[in-house]
Amino acid sequence: MQAEEKLTYETWPASPERSTLEAKNKFLGFWLFLGGETVLFASLFATYLALKDKVPDSSHHLAKDIFELPLTLTATMLLLTSSLTSVYAMYHMKNFAFKKMMVWLSITVLLGLGFLGLEIYEFNHYVHEFHHTFTSSAFASAFYSLVGFHGAHVTFGLGWILALMFRNYKRGLNLYNAPKFYVASLYWHFIDVVWVFIFTVVYLMGMVG
Amino acid sequence: MKRLAKWRLISLFAILALVLSGCGQPYLSALRPAGEVADIQYDLMKLSTYIMVGVIIVVLIIFVLVFFRFRRKDDKIPKQVEGSHSLEIIWTVIPILLLLILAVPTVAATFKLADVKEMDKKNSNALVINVRSHLYWWDFEYPKQKIVTSQDLVVPTNEKVYFNLKSMDVKHSFWIPAVGGKLDTNTDNVNKFWLKFDDKRANEAGNLFYGKCAELCGPSHALMDFKVKAISRDKFDAWVSAMQNVKKPQKAQTDLAAQGQDIFNKSCIGCHAVTPENKMPDTARVAPNLTNFGDRSRIAGILDHNKKELKNWLKNPETYKPGNEMSGKYEKLTEDQLNALAEYLMGLKVQD
Amino acid sequence: MTNQPLSSSNPRVDLEYRRRKNAEEMRYQVISFTLMIFLTFVAFGVVAIKGFTAWFVVPFILLLACVQVVFQLFYFMHMSHKGHEAPSMFLFTGVFLAMIMVWAFMTIIWW
Amino acid sequence: MSTYAQKKGFGATIWDYLTTVDHKKIAILYLMAGGLFFIMGGLEAVFIRIQLAVPNNDFVSAGAFNEIITMHGTTMIFLAAMPLLFAFMNAVMPLQIGARDVAFPFVNALGFWLFFFGGIFLNLSWFLGGAPDAGWTSYASLAVHSKGHGIDFYVLGLQISGLGTLIGGINFLVTIINMRAPGMTYMRMPLFTWTTFVASAMILFAFPPLTVGLTLMMFDRLFGANFFEVAMGGNTIIWEHLFWIFGHPEVYILILPAFGIFSEIFSTFSRKRLFGYSSMVFATVLIGFLGFMVWAHHMFTTGLGPVANAIFAVATMAIGVPTGIKIFNWLFTMWGGSVKFTTPMYYAFAFIPSFVMGGVTGVMVATAAADYQYHDTYFVVAHFHYVIVGGVVLALLAGTHYWWPKMFGTMLNETLGKITFWLFFIGFHLTFFIQHFLGLWGMPRRVFTYLPGQGLNAGNLISSIGAAFMSVAVLILLFNIIMTQVKNVKVGNDPWEDGRTLEWSIPSPPPFYNFKQLPLVRGLDAYWLEKMAGKKGLTPAEPIGDIHMPNSSFIPFMISLGLFIAAFGAMYHVDDKPWALPVLIIGLVITFGSMLVRSVKDDHGFHIHKEELVQEEKGAKA
Ligand code: HEA
Ligand code: HEA
Ligand code: CUA
Ligand SMILES: [Cu+2]
C-alpha cells in the first residue's frame, strides 16, 4: 500500500495523519517547529511588554487611548470560530469525508480572511486617527511587530490552506496529503493560541492601563 | 600611528622581568589593587584561583596516571566497566561544595559593591561624580561642587566616591583596573556604583591611575583612555576651590597666548568650555572642558602632555583618534596659529 | 524511508467504534469551544466594566487566557492523545522558556 | 539506480552535489564550506594577532580592525564551528542510529544551502563597502550608530544562515526520535547521537530569540523602527538580552557535540565502554537545560542590579558540576583501559586539561563581583578560546581524523596528523595562556592597538607567535588532506579496528542507502557487542526488500538563492536605489515560487529493488 494509493472509507486508517513514516516525521517535525515558534512569539511578547507605552513625549497615544474593545472582540470571535471550523474539517478528514472537509476548510478560510480584513482596517485606523505609525515610537514599533507578526502568520496560514485545497481539489484524500491537511490545521490552531495571548496581553491589559 | 620599533628588545626583557613578578603595572593592573573595591575583587580572584588550581591538579594527577599506566601494551580486551556510583557521587558532591565555598562570598561581594544607598540619601555629604561618556572622551561633573572637568578625573583618597554613569552616544564602559571593576555607561539609564582609592597605594602608583573604556564603541575605542588623579582630601578640596574660582575664562598670560585665546574664541569655544561651572545640561557639553587643560597629564587621554603633541593633535586629530568628533569641525590652522593656541591652552591652569 | 502504513489492518468492526469515538470527541470539542467563547466574553467583560482594580483584572484575564489555551492544545490540537509525548515535551519546554523570558524582560529591563 | 558507483564527469559531479539530498554528501558539503570559512576566520585571527604583535602597530587601520574582529567571531561561530559540527552530525548520526537517511532529506539540503548563501552574503560585505564592525555581539547602540551597510550584512546574512541551522536542528531531532533502527532505544544511543539530540533541541529554542533580535535590528536600521532608539522610547538592553538568550545556549550548542565526538574517541581507543554512560546522558541533558538559565552572566556589568547578578552568578556556577561529571567519566573510561594513541586520541587526550583550564576560568568569570574586573578584557578572550579552541576546535580536528575514513574511504596520514597536533597544541597554549594575564594587567578586548609603557608588549608578542604555530599546523593539515586524497588508499569497514558503534559495521564510505537491511541493535555499542560475540556484522532486523529513497532536487538551492537575492534588495532599498525594490521582489518570487513548486509537485522518491541489491552483493563478492 503506497501513500498516494486510493483508499476507501473502510481502508482509511484511524490516524491518517500519522500512518506512514513520512507522515509521522512531518507530524513530529511540525510540532517541534511549534515549540520553536512559542519561543519566537515569547521574544516578541517580552519585547512588547518592555516597550509598552514607551513613547518620546506626551503627544503620542498610549495603549489605553487607542484600543477599542468591540473591534478586538469581533476579531477574536472570528478567529476562535475558525478554529472550531478547522476542527470540523479534521473530523471529516478522519472520517474520510473529503467534500465535507473542503467545505469546512473553506469556511475556515473565509473567517480567517474576515479576521485579516479587520486587522488591516484596525492598523489603518490607528495610522490615520492617532498617527500611531510603525516609526512613531518604540511602543508603536513593538505593537506593530508583535501583532503584525501574528497577522503574517494568519496570511501564511491562509495561503497554505488554500494551496492545499487547490492542489488536492481533484484528487481527494490519500495518505500523502492527509498529514498535510492535518499539519496545516495544527498551524491554524497555533495561530489562535497566540491570538488568545495577544488579545489578553496587548488589548485587554492595554485597556486596563 | 607612530611606530615604536627600537627598544622593542630591551623593553621585552624589562617586561619579561615583570611577567615573572606577574602583576603588571601598579597604575593599571587589576592584580595590584589600590582600593577597597579592587581588594574585594582581588580576594575573590585569589579564592577562585586557589580552588581552580586545586581542580586542575586533581584532574592532572588522574590524567598523568592514565597516560603512564594504561597505554596499550597487548591485545587484551579490558573489562567493560559500566560505571561506579560511589565515584560518581564523589565527583558530584565535591564540586558542589567547592562551588558553595565560592558562591557565598560572591553573592556577598556583589551586594556590597552595589550598595549606593549613601549617595541617594537626602543631604548626605558623600562625594558624587556624574560620569558622562562620549565618543572617545570622558566628562566628569561634580554636581555638589558645581564644577565640570574632562579626561582627568580628580578624586580624594580614603573615602567612598560615588558615581552616576551614563553615555551620551553609544555604550561605553567605565573602568579603572587598579581601583575596581567596571560598570557600563548605558544610553538608556544611569548606573551607579562606588569606588575607594587607597592613599598609600595611590602614592605608590604615582597618584595617577589609568582608566579605560571597556566596551567596543567604534574605531577609537582602544584610545578612549582617561586618567585618575587620586589625592588627599585636603589637596582635593584645594583643587575644587581653585576650580570654583574660575568664574570667567582665564586671561591669557602672554601676548602669544592672547593671540591664541582670540583664535580659540573664534573657532573652538562653540564646543569647548573654558569655565568649570555646569550651567549647561550634560547633553550640551559636546567637547572636553578645557578649564584646567594645562594641569592635565595627557592630551586627549593618550598623547604626552607637551606643546609639540598638542600642536600635532590640533593639526590633525584624525591621525591620533580615528573617527573622533573634533576632526574637520574647525578651519585648518597655520603653524603660527598652532603655536598661539598651544601657548594659550597650556596656560589654562587652575593650580600651580 | 518506507511509506507503508503502520496500521494496515483495518477490520470492519473497528469502523463503527471509530466513528462513534470521533463523534464523541467532536462533542467535547464543541463543548470546549463554547467554554472558550464564554471565557473570552468574561475576559472582555471584566475589562469593559471599569470597576475592578488592575491588580485583580490582570491576573484574572491572564488565568482565563491560560485556561483557553489549554483547551486549544488538548482538545483542538489533540495533545492529550497518545503519541504526543515528544510534542508535549518540546512544547512545554518552549512554554517554560517563554515564561522565563517574559519574566526577565519585565523585571530586569526596568528603566 | 546503481549509477552512483560509476565515474562521473566533473560537471556531473558538481550537479550531483548541487542537487543532492543524501546526508553523507551534504555532510561533505558542510565539511568543505565550514572548512573554507574556518580558514577565512583563521586568517582574520592571524591579522588580529599581527596587528597586536607590537604596540602602536599600523598593519590595519582602526576601522578595519573592528571589521576583522567582528567577522572573525561571527565567521568562526556561525560559519565554521557550527557547520563543521553539522558535517559530522550529518555524516555519522544517521549511521549511528541505523537509519537510511535523515527524516527530511530535502530539508537537510535546504538547511545547507541557506547556511551557505547566508555565509557568502555576510562575507561579500568585504567587497561591498565594508564588513560589520560592532563585534560579533553587535550591541544595539553601536550597531544602530554604525554607518554603511556592514551591520545590514550581519543582520541579513545571519538571518538567512540561522534559518538553515534551525531547520537543520529540527531535522536531526525528528530523525533521532523517529528513525532509530529496531532495538536502538534512547539509552543505547551512542553519545555523539545524544549530544546531537540535545544540541539540536537547544538550536530549536535558542535560534528564535536571535531571529527576533535580528528582525528588530533590521527594522530599526532598514525600516525606521525605534526598538533601540532611546530618544523614541527604545531600549538597547533588549538587544543584549535577546542576543545572549541565544548566545549563551549557542556556546553549549558548540561544545556538546564536541563532547560527543570525544566520548566516541575515548571509548573506542580505550577499548572500553564509556564509563558512567547514563550519568553522561544525564549530564548532557542537564547542561542543555541549565544553558538557558544563565545568559545574563554576559551582562554582569550592564547594571542589572545585585539580585539579578547574584542569581545568574550562582546558576552559572552550577554548570560546572555536570561538566565535571563528564570530565571524570572520560578519565575513568581510559582508566583500566587499553589506550592506543592515534591522532584522534592525541586530540582527545589533550582536550582534557585544555578544556578544564577554560572551564574553570569560566567559573571564575561567573563570580559576578570579580567579573567586573574580567569582563571585556583579554581574560574573557582567553577563557572562551580555551573552551572553544581547546574544546570545539580540538574536537573538530579529532573528528576529522577519526571519521575521515568513514566519510571518504581513506585514512589521513598519521605522522602528519601528529605533527599537526603538536604544532597546534603548542601554538594554542602559547597564544591564549598569556592572554589571561594581559586581561588582568588591564588590557581591554577589542582594542585595535595599545600604547607602550603599560606592560602589555611582551605578552602580546608571545600571543602572536603562538598564532603562527597554529597557522603552520593548519597548513600541514591541508597538505595532509590533499596528499591523502591523491593517494586514495582504500580502507575497509572498521579501519581503526576498535570501532564500537554502527557506523563502523558498514563499508567506508557507506553505500548511498547506508544499510541494505536495517540492523537489529542488541545493546549499547552495538557493533562491539557483535564483534565480541564473534560475529562479523550486525544481525539484520528485516529481510532484504525494496528500499525507498528520496529524489535529488535543485529546489533547495533555488529557495536559498532567492533569499540571497532578496537580501540585497532589502539592504539597498534604504539608499533609494531604484533597482532595490525589484530585486527584493524578484528574490522573494524565486524563493516562494520554488517553495510552491515543491509543494504542488508530488515527489515520492524512488525504490531500489531487491534484485539490484542482491545483484550488487554478488558483484562485490566476485
Ligand atoms: C564552547 C564554548 C563555551 C563553553 C563550553 C563555555 C563554558 C563556560 N563559560 Fe563561557 N564563554 C564563551 C564560550 C564558552 N563558555 C564565549 C564565546 C564567551 C564570550 C562571548 C563574548 O563576550 O564575546 C564566554 C563568556 C563567558 C562569561 C562572560 C564573561 C564576561 O564577558 O564577562 C561567563 C560568565 O559567567 C562564562 C562562564 C562560563 C562557564 C561557567 C562555563 C562552564 O560551562 C564551564 C564548565 C567546566 C568546568 C568548570 C571544567 C570542568 C569541571 C570540573 C573538572 C569539575 C570541578 C570544577 C569546579 C568545582 C569548578 N563564559
Ligand atoms: C569558533 C570560534 C573561534 C575560533 C576557532 C577562534 C580562533 C582563534 N581566535 Fe578568536 N574569537 C572568537 C571565536 C573564535 N576564535 C570570537 C567569538 C571572538 C570575539 C569577537 C568579538 O570580539 O566580537 C574572538 C576574538 C579573538 C581575539 C580578540 C580580538 C579582540 O578582542 O580584539 C583574538 C586575539 O588574539 C582571537 C584570536 C584567535 C586565534 C589566534 C585563533 C586561532 O585558533 C585560529 C587558528 C586558525 C588558523 C591560524 C588558520 C589560519 C589558516 C591559514 C594561515 C591557512 C591559510 C591557507 C590558505 C589561504 C590556503 N580571537
Ligand atoms: Cu568607549 Cu570603548
Ligand atoms: Cu555564556
Side-chain angles (χ1 to χ4, degrees):
Chain A
M1 192 159 54
Q2 290 302 312
E4 59 275 31
E5 187 181 314
K6 281 262 176 284
L7 295 176
T8 65
Y9 179 64
E10 281 73 27
T11 51
W12 191 241
S15 295
E17 75 277 8
R18 276 182 289 156
S19 53
T20 65
L21 180 58
E22 243 168 45
K24 270 176 62 176
N25 286 346
K26 188 166 279 157
F27 172 85
L28 179 63
F30 195 77
W31 266 105
L32 299 187
F33 170 74
L34 290 184
E37 287 259 285
T38 309
V39 184
L40 185 99
F41 274 104
S43 315
L44 286 164
F45 270 105
T47 306
Y48 173 80
L49 286 169
L51 294 177
K52 178 173 173 246
D53 288 346
K54 294 285 190 301
V55 291
D57 57 63
S58 56
S59 72
H60 291 257
H61 294 274
L62 303 182
K64 63 177 176 359
D65 307 325
I66 58 176
F67 298 148
E68 285 167 34
L69 285 185
L71 189 73
T72 312
L73 185 62
T74 321
T76 305
M77 287 304 143
L78 289 178
L79 208 58
L80 282 184
T81 314
S82 80
S83 221
L84 181 72
T85 56
S86 82
V87 168
Y88 266 108
M90 286 311 106
Y91 168 70
H92 292 302
M93 187 272 277
K94 289 204 172 182
N95 284 341
F96 202 63
F98 180 67
K99 286 259 168 55
K100 287 186 186 155
M101 177 187 86
M102 293 293 266
V103 170
W104 284 107
L105 281 180
S106 314
I107 299 175
T108 306
V109 169
L110 285 179
L111 290 167
L113 281 175
F115 172 87
L116 210 58
L118 275 186
E119 188 153 281
I120 292 168
Y121 163 78
E122 181 199 353
F123 282 9
N124 206 33
H125 177 70
Y126 294 154
V127 169
H128 289 106
E129 199 69 16
F130 304 113
H131 301 290
H132 183 72
T133 67
F134 185 58
T135 57
S136 65
S137 65
F139 166 50
S141 299
F143 167 77
Y144 285 112
S145 295
L146 171 57
V147 182
F149 239 79
H150 175 263
H153 275 70
V154 174
T155 315
F156 185 81
L158 288 176
W160 186 5
I161 296 179
L162 280 173
L164 280 179
M165 288 170 66
F166 281 119
R167 175 67 186 97
N168 296 300
Y169 187 67
K170 289 229 180 67
R171 295 208 287 196
L173 274 174
N174 58 32
L175 289 183
Y176 182 67
N177 60 25
K180 296 192 179 199
F181 280 111
Y182 186 86
V183 164
S185 92
L186 276 184
Y187 187 70
W188 195 253
H189 291 303
F190 184 76
I191 292 173
D192 212 13
V193 167
V194 174
W195 180 255
V196 169
F197 281 109
I198 291 191
F199 85 68
T200 306
V201 171
V202 177
Y203 291 96
L204 294 184
M205 275 166 61
M207 296 294 288
V208 174
Chain B
M1 295 304 298
K2 291 175 307 174
R3 273 188 160 276
L4 188 120
K6 51 178 181 168
W7 301 122
R8 201 179 295 165
L9 209 67
I10 293 176
S11 62
L12 196 144
F13 279 114
I15 290 164
L16 216 63
L18 257 178
V19 172
L20 296 178
S21 81
C23 293
Q25 306 291 358
Y27 44 82
L28 181 63
S29 170
L31 299 181
R32 298 267 188 108
E36 189 180 344
V37 174
D39 283 337
I40 294 172
Q41 288 162 338
Y42 187 59
D43 289 344
L44 261 179
M45 286 181 189
K46 280 193 293 190
L47 173 64
S48 56
T49 308
Y50 296 147
I51 296 177
M52 299 315 156
V53 169
V55 168
I56 291 175
I57 289 175
V58 171
V59 170
L60 276 182
I61 290 174
I62 307 176
F63 182 82
V64 170
L65 285 178
V66 165
F67 181 77
F68 286 109
R69 286 185 48 194
F70 301 107
R71 326 193 57 155
R72 188 167 302 177
K73 299 167 196 97
D74 47 35
D75 242 4
K76 269 209 219 94
I77 301 293
K79 199 165 143 241
Q80 303 292 306
V81 192
E82 206 173 303
S84 153
H85 282 299
S86 40
L87 277 175
E88 277 167 27
I89 288 170
I90 290 176
W91 62 58
T92 309
V93 171
I94 293 181
I96 290 178
L97 292 177
L98 290 176
L99 289 175
L100 279 178
I101 294 174
L102 188 57
V104 172
T106 298
V107 172
T110 304
F111 278 92
K112 182 158 190 201
L113 299 187
D115 179 10
V116 289
K117 280 198 289 292
E118 186 60 31
M119 75 191 283
D120 296 329
K121 269 193 202 138
K122 261 204 204 123
N123 50 32
S124 88
N125 43 20
L127 176 62
V128 176
I129 301 176
N130 295 339
V131 176
R132 297 293 175 260
S133 57
H134 297 253
L135 279 169
Y136 321 132
W137 64 279
W138 299 87
D139 197 35
F140 306 111
E141 176 184 14
Y142 300 68
K144 280 187 205 138
Q145 290 71 12
K146 299 207 189 321
I147 53 175
V148 175
T149 184
S150 304
Q151 305 291 36
D152 279 17
L153 173 66
V154 183
V155 289
T157 50
N158 284 349
E159 66 179 272
K160 281 189 178 179
V161 183
Y162 292 87
F163 294 91
N164 283 313
L165 306 162
K166 189 167 188 330
S167 171
M168 297 287 110
D169 32 53
V170 305
K171 185 177 170 114
H172 308 268
S173 191
F174 179 79
W175 185 33
I176 311 166
V179 184
K182 59 192 74 66
L183 191 59
D184 294 353
T185 62
N186 292 325
T187 52
D188 313 76
N189 72 315
V190 173
N191 271 339
K192 301 176 178 195
F193 79 151
W194 61 273
L195 292 173
K196 199 164 168 185
F197 302 76
D198 182 79
D199 193 54
K200 206 169 122 261
R201 287 176 286 174
N203 263 325
E204 282 159 19
N207 289 82
L208 192 71
F209 293 108
Y210 285 26
K212 303 253 169 196
C213 170
E215 181 68 54
L216 180 62
C217 52
S220 282
H221 156 65
L223 304 171
M224 193 170 157
D225 289 6
F226 60 98
K227 300 288 173 296
V228 187
K229 280 189 183 136
I231 47 183
S232 67
R233 184 76 206 189
D234 295 346
K235 289 192 190 146
F236 176 75
D237 287 337
W239 175 77
V240 169
S241 41
M243 284 292 274
Q244 283 167 336
N245 282 337
V246 184
K247 302 285 188 221
K248 285 197 302 270
Q250 298 176 59
K251 271 266 152 37
Q253 304 289 316
T254 64
D255 283 353
L256 189 59
Q259 265 178 12
Q261 188 163 21
D262 286 344
I263 304 167
F264 189 87
N265 288 342
K266 222 166 74 237
S267 319
C268 324
I269 200 105
C271 299
H272 289 283
V274 281
T275 48
E277 91 281 43
N278 60 345
K279 296 246 172 59
M280 284 192 289
D282 54 7
T283 45
R285 303 200 292 261
V286 297
N289 185 305
L290 299 178
T291 308
N292 58 342
F293 179 78
D295 299 330
R296 301 253 163 101
S297 58
R298 291 289 189 288
I299 297 165
I302 47 167
L303 301 174
D304 283 346
H305 197 259
N306 58 43
K307 278 192 189 160
K308 190 165 141 273
E309 293 288 15
L310 177 56
K311 279 158 63 185
N312 283 338
W313 167 259
L314 294 176
K315 227 184 301 182
N316 194 355
E318 195 64 17
T319 38
Y320 300 97
K321 276 195 174 176
N324 76 74
E325 299 285 318
M326 169 156 152
S327 302
K329 302 282 173 56
Y330 56 95
E331 283 153 45
K332 256 205 144 8
L333 301 164
T334 66
E335 192 61 29
D336 289 344
Q337 288 173 314
L338 285 172
N339 281 328
L341 274 172
E343 175 79 9
Y344 166 64
L345 289 171
M346 282 302 189
L348 290 175
K349 297 187 176 185
V350 297
Q351 284 176 311
D352 8 51
Chain C
M1 286 277 77
T2 46
N3 268 323
Q4 312 290 318
L6 301 177
S7 57
S8 53
S9 72
N10 222 343
R12 236 165 215 293
V13 269
D14 271 7
L15 279 176
E16 202 39 43
Y17 167 73
R18 241 171 62 202
R19 207 218 318 261
R20 247 188 299 123
K21 222 182 126 225
N22 280 351
E24 185 187 349
E25 196 169 283
M26 200 57 226
R27 221 172 27 252
Y28 280 124
Q29 285 171 338
V30 175
I31 293 171
S32 58
F33 174 74
T34 326
L35 278 171
M36 281 160 63
I37 297 286
F38 173 71
L39 294 179
T40 308
F41 273 109
V42 173
F44 274 82
V46 177
V47 174
I49 304 167
K50 294 242 147 60
F52 305 106
T53 88
W55 289 106
F56 163 72
V57 175
V58 171
F60 182 66
I61 57 179
L62 281 176
L63 182 75
L64 294 187
C66 291
V67 174
Q68 252 203 68
V69 163
V70 169
F71 279 130
Q72 279 274 359
L73 290 175
F74 283 94
Y75 289 100
F76 285 15
M77 296 167 85
H78 313 290
M79 221 167 70
S80 50
H81 284 199
K82 261 215 323 272
H84 284 72
E85 296 77 17
S88 53
M89 194 183 90
F90 277 85
L91 195 82
F92 285 122
T93 312
V95 168
F96 176 68
L97 296 176
M99 287 184 333
I100 291 186
M101 267 173 86
V102 171
W103 164 78
F105 276 55
M106 309 239 5
T107 52
I108 52 181
I109 298 183
W110 55 110
W111 43 81
Chain D
M1 290 307 125
S2 38
T3 45
Y4 71 95
Q6 285 158 17
K7 270 240 179 301
K8 288 193 203 133
F10 183 66
T13 312
I14 296 280
W15 179 249
D16 187 26
Y17 274 91
L18 289 181
T19 59
T20 187
V21 295
D22 178 348
H23 71 98
K24 297 175 292 301
K25 286 189 179 146
I26 291 174
I28 292 173
L29 286 174
Y30 269 117
L31 192 69
M32 291 197 308
L36 182 77
F37 285 123
F38 179 76
I39 299 226
M40 295 189 36
L43 268 169
E44 281 149 6
V46 170
F47 289 164
I48 295 174
R49 282 321 320 167
I50 294 178
Q51 166 69 14
L52 293 178
V54 290
N56 273 338
N57 201 359
D58 60 358
F59 176 71
V60 294
S61 73
F65 184 86
N66 288 353
E67 296 173 30
I68 291 173
I69 57 150
T70 304
M71 287 300 282
H72 164 67
T74 314
T75 304
M76 280 298 197
I77 301 258
F78 291 96
L79 308 178
M82 235 188 334
L84 287 170
L85 291 169
F86 265 42
F88 295 125
M89 294 179 184
N90 261 310
V92 177
M93 181 273 286
L95 305 181
Q96 285 195 330
I97 59 172
R100 295 226 167 86
D101 205 323
V102 291
F104 310 108
F106 177 90
V107 170
N108 201 11
L110 179 60
F112 170 76
W113 289 111
L114 283 172
F115 140 68
F116 185 70
F117 276 108
I120 295 292
F121 183 82
L122 185 56
N123 274 282
L124 282 178
S125 63
W126 286 117
F127 309 105
L128 297 172
D133 58 357
W136 83 286
T137 52
S138 209
Y139 273 15
S141 60
L142 181 61
V144 173
H145 195 266
S146 168
K147 303 216 169 49
H149 282 302
I151 305 295
D152 305 331
F153 276 106
Y154 172 94
V155 165
L156 294 164
L158 288 191
Q159 194 71 281
I160 296 173
S161 76
L163 219 62
T165 309
L166 180 63
I167 61 179
I170 294 181
N171 198 354
F172 291 142
L173 285 173
V174 178
T175 307
I176 295 174
I177 296 176
N178 275 356
M179 315 258 299
R180 281 165 289 129
M184 178 59 83
T185 59
Y186 281 111
M187 289 315 272
R188 286 177 182 173
M189 292 193 321
L191 219 76
F192 180 64
T193 298
W194 257 112
T195 53
T196 302
F197 183 74
V198 176
S200 301
M202 297 185 77
I203 288 175
L204 175 64
F205 295 119
F207 271 69
L210 177 70
T211 306
V212 169
L214 291 172
T215 306
L216 304 188
M217 179 82 78
M218 176 179 80
F219 283 171
D220 261 23
R221 282 186 60 97
L222 300 180
F223 303 109
N226 294 307
F227 292 102
F228 310 125
E229 208 62 70
V230 176
M232 302 296 279
N235 185 318
T236 58
I237 310 303
I238 289 176
W239 167 268
E240 292 183 24
H241 279 294
L242 287 175
F243 185 85
W244 288 119
I245 288 173
F246 148 78
H248 185 80
E250 168 67 18
V251 304
Y252 293 111
I253 294 170
L254 295 178
I255 201 67
L256 287 180
F259 287 170
I261 293 175
F262 287 130
S263 302
E264 304 294 318
I265 291 174
F266 280 127
S267 67
T268 301
F269 294 110
S270 307
R271 284 194 170 162
K272 222 170 131 250
R273 65 172 274 167
L274 196 64
F275 192 86
Y277 171 84
S278 21
S279 68
M280 287 298 251
V281 171
F282 171 72
T284 306
V285 176
L286 192 63
I287 292 174
F289 182 75
L290 286 175
F292 281 95
M293 311 291 142
V294 300
W295 78 87
H297 67 213
H298 296 275
M299 300 164 64
F300 283 148
T301 66
T302 297
L304 303 178
V307 180
N309 280 3
I311 293 173
F312 279 100
V314 175
T316 302
M317 290 177 192
I319 296 189
V321 177
T323 317
I325 294 179
K326 285 182 161 256
I327 298 280
F328 291 112
N329 276 328
W330 285 318
L331 285 171
F332 277 80
T333 303
M334 290 184 283
W335 192 277
S338 164
V339 184
K340 183 174 173 192
F341 283 91
T342 58
T343 306
M345 193 62 190
Y346 268 50
Y347 284 109
F349 202 64
F351 148 81
I352 289 201
S354 309
F355 180 82
V356 168
M357 282 174 66
V360 295
T361 55
V363 177
M364 288 173 72
V365 287
T367 54
D371 183 60
Y372 304 159
Q373 285 285 22
Y374 303 127
H375 177 68
D376 266 342
T377 69
Y378 264 80
F379 191 89
V380 172
V381 175
H383 154 63
F384 70 76
H385 283 93
Y386 258 86
V387 278
I388 290 185
V389 180
V392 184
V393 175
L394 290 188
L396 291 170
L397 293 171
T400 304
H401 288 87
Y402 182 56
W403 280 310
W404 195 270
K406 191 46 64 185
M407 291 175 76
F408 296 96
T410 173
M411 286 271 243
L412 287 174
N413 181 301
E414 281 282 288
T415 316
L416 284 177
K418 286 172 184 169
I419 295 174
T420 306
F421 165 80
W422 280 114
L423 285 171
F424 196 86
F425 184 72
I426 294 170
F428 155 61
H429 284 278
L430 210 53
T431 307
F432 298 113
F433 186 73
I434 190 73
Q435 290 186 355
H436 295 109
F437 290 92
L438 283 172
L440 294 170
W441 294 337
M443 182 164 166
R445 62 191 280 208
R446 295 167 168 176
V447 291
F448 80 98
T449 191
Y450 50 96
L451 304 175
Q454 304 185 99
L456 305 173
N457 303 12
N460 273 297
L461 187 60
I462 294 172
S463 179
S464 296
I465 294 170
F469 275 78
M470 281 191 279
S471 308
V472 178
V474 173
L475 286 174
I476 293 178
L477 175 65
L478 289 178
F479 175 74
N480 190 354
I481 288 174
I482 294 168
M483 290 311 289
T484 303
Q485 291 311 106
V486 169
K487 284 199 196 124
N488 204 6
V489 185
K490 287 292 166 202
V491 296
N493 290 7
D494 185 11
W496 298 109
E497 289 162 7
D498 292 324
R500 306 175 73 83
T501 42
L502 284 180
E503 77 264 32
W504 304 111
S505 70
I506 53 175
S508 315
F512 70 107
Y513 46 80
N514 294 356
F515 295 90
K516 196 172 296 163
Q517 293 157 282
L518 291 184
L520 180 68
V521 176
R522 287 201 272 219
L524 183 65
D525 295 332
Y527 182 47
W528 175 262
L529 291 182
E530 306 294 340
K531 278 200 288 190
M532 287 302 108
K535 298 213 193 95
K536 268 238 167 66
L538 275 112
T539 322
E542 57 175 17
I544 291 195
D546 290 0
I547 296 178
H548 178 251
M549 295 301 294
N551 284 326
S552 300
S553 170
F554 192 50
I555 294 176
F557 186 92
M558 292 302 285
I559 294 178
S560 315
L561 180 69
L563 283 181
F564 175 77
I565 295 172
F568 280 104
M571 190 167 67
Y572 286 109
H573 141 92
V574 274
D575 299 344
D576 292 321
K577 293 256 191 325
W579 47 264
L581 202 59
V583 167
L584 175 63
I585 293 169
I586 292 171
L588 291 178
V589 166
I590 295 178
T591 297
F592 285 103
S594 313
M595 281 162 72
L596 198 70
V597 170
R598 165 72 182 173
S599 57
V600 292
K601 220 181 78 191
D602 287 357
D603 183 353
H604 297 298
F606 63 91
H607 283 86
I608 316 167
H609 296 290
K610 194 168 143 182
E611 300 71 42
E612 283 176 83
L613 290 169
V614 177
Q615 200 78 38
E616 222 161 74
E617 191 160 28
K618 284 194 192 125
K621 284 208 181 107

